[in-house]
Amino acid sequence: MNNNTFVHKYIRPLIGKDDIVADMTAGNGSDTLFLARYAKTVYAFDISEEAIRRSREKTAEYDNVILIHDNHINIDRYIKEKIRLFIFNLGYLPSSQETRITKAEETLIAFDKAYSLLEEKGYIVITFYIGHKGGKDEYYLLKDHINKNRFQIIETYSQNKIDSPITYIIRKN
Ligand SMILES: C[S@@+](CC[C@H](N)C(=O)[O-])C[C@H]1O[C@@H](n2cnc3c(N)ncnc32)[C@H](O)[C@@H]1O
């Protein structure tokens, strides 16, 4: 099973119709669409206009999606309420001219802001693509930060192949 399938299976029981959730990297809109089906409201960020267009198209039949075309480090400008679950699906938008890969230092800032917006017992789901340029550095920076701050990793997932993506599920105490 790939990481996206794992993530969807894992989080399905964790979200319900009263929950506000956020997709920090909307991309093609697959995670946003999944969240829209089960949550009350979905905030979805992407820095790429093309990603926002694709996500808008994909979630067109849902009126509970708030698409935000901005860098996710600015999340606190848009979200003023507690969030049940965040998804970070790092890396770049596949098959796009306007490729913008996530950057380790920005991901760290966005992660901390997300953590402070999380409700008690809320979740952050983060998938690292260590085979991409810069992906390993991003993984090690975040991993180190998570360990130093004793954020609670309750599950990890990876297919046992060289450089396959790694998913962490983090729960706020
Ligand atoms: C792997 S894709 C996300 C896949 C997506 N979750 C899906 O279901 O299709 C990563 C996305 O992160 C976006 N991105 C990169 N840096 C960003 C940033 N600083 N803020 C917001 N989005 C960013 C890229 O534009 C790209 O669309």
Side-chain angles (χ1 to χ4, degrees):
M1 152 172 58
N2 71 25
N3 291 60
N4 294 335
T5 306
F6 166 79
V7 165
H8 290 187
K9 273 194 170 177
Y10 193 93
I11 68 177
R12 173 63 200 97
L14 307 181
I15 49 176
K17 275 293 167 197
D18 292 331
D19 292 326
I20 321 279
V21 297
D23 184 350
M24 297 295 271
T25 50
N28 284 320
S30 310
D31 294 325
T32 305
L33 174 64
F34 180 82
L35 294 170
R37 286 196 183 116
Y38 303 112
K40 180 179 170 196
T41 306
V42 186
Y43 292 94
F45 292 83
D46 207 290
I47 202 161
S48 144
E49 204 171 334
E50 173 65 12
I52 292 294
R53 194 192 59 71
R54 291 184 195 178
S55 299
R56 180 168 296 119
E57 210 172 280
K58 196 162 244 163
T59 59
E61 62 184 282
Y62 289 86
D63 61 4
N64 59 343
V65 177
I66 301 166
L67 287 164
I68 300 159
H69 179 210
D70 198 351
N71 192 318
H72 51 211
I73 62 169
N74 297 322
I75 178 178
D76 47 336
R77 292 190 192 158
Y78 303 92
I79 302 186
K80 307 286 179 194
E81 54 191 336
K82 287 290 180 189
I83 299 295
R84 169 74 174 159
L85 179 140
F86 287 91
I87 297 185
F88 287 77
N89 196 344
L90 303 174
Y92 63 90
L93 182 65
S95 47
S96 164
Q97 298 298 323
E98 183 209 339
T99 283
R100 165 67 148 89
I101 199 153
T102 50
K103 294 181 182 160
E105 292 72 20
E106 289 181 349
T107 305
L108 189 81
I109 294 168
F111 180 93
D112 278 348
K113 288 188 175 180
Y115 196 85
S116 63
L117 282 164
L118 258 194
E119 58 181 49
E120 290 300 307
K121 311 283 180 207
Y123 300 85
I124 295 182
V125 179
I126 184 160
T127 298
F128 302 95
Y129 292 84
I130 58 174
H132 295 168
K133 192 171 179 295
K136 270 205 180 76
D137 293 342
E138 184 174 46
Y139 170 60
Y140 287 122
L141 184 75
L142 268 290
K143 185 183 175 196
D144 194 43
H145 182 70
I146 289 165
N147 289 333
K148 269 193 193 136
N149 287 282
R150 298 178 188 276
F151 295 134
Q152 196 187 166
I153 301 169
I154 58 162
E155 188 72 56
T156 60
Y157 181 80
S158 182
Q159 289 178 298
N160 269 333
K161 296 181 208 151
I162 290 174
D163 283 353
S164 52
I166 300 169
T167 298
Y168 283 1
I169 314 265
I170 290 151
R171 187 172 58 209
K172 194 167 186 171
N173 291 323

